[in-house]
Amino acid sequence: MVNTEFVEALASGAPTPGGGGAAAYVGALASALASMVGNLTVGKKKYAAVEERMQAELLELADTRLRLLELIDGDAAAFAPLAAAYGLPRGTEEETAARNAAIQEALVEACEAPLAIMDQCLLVIESCSFVAEHGSVMALSDAGAAAALAKAALQAASLNVVINIGSMDDAARAASYRERMDDALAAGGALADQVYEGVLKRLA
């Protein structure tokens, strides 16, 4: 049942998948775990009042999970041009200028991919908040675990943004990316902590 292909690829000496792909994978796992809580809730008379909303959350979680799985390859595809650009020759002034231009162009997608992962992880955390509060109490710990995983994925993806904006010549673009990253970290981190602490308190 356990598919080790991605894990083995991650453990290899290949540059991709890397931290971004791992973040997307963990985010997808968080989405799946939150979905499990939702699926253990729907159809139960005890939770009839939240049935419609829970069904909606399950649809959104399915969407975020699919998007995060796509972003595993998307992150790798975004890294490839950057790696190629860093490998360009720089023996002459013209070559150095062309190399730098290629790097600067590739850095944009190399930032957009992890930011997209962060956006999806934030959506997962928001769903975790709902399923933790309104989902089956039999799976309460799973809702807390999902929130913790989604926060870890959010933080992991942010590191790829940090390293790439550090090489950007366009200060305004770099600042814009940093703001998006910081906003997602603040909102998602706080909500994930709230979910986790709430679950922990109820379990105790």
Side-chain angles (χ1 to χ4, degrees), residues 2-9:
V2 177
N3 187 338
T4 62
E5 182 179 352
F6 175 79
V7 175
E8 293 303 322

Side-chain angles (χ1 to χ4, degrees), residues 63 174 185:
D63 287 341
L185 281 173

Side-chain angles (χ1 to χ4, degrees), residues 129-174:
S129 178
F130 180 80
V131 300
E133 183 175 356
H134 301 288
S136 172
V137 294
M138 300 299 292
L140 180 59
S141 61
D142 297 296
L149 288 171
K151 180 186 176 183
L154 185 76
Q155 292 175 318
S158 75
L159 296 176
N160 278 17
V161 181
V162 173
I163 193 171
N164 288 319
I165 62 177
S167 299
M168 277 190 171
D169 292 340
D170 188 338
R173 185 186 291 273

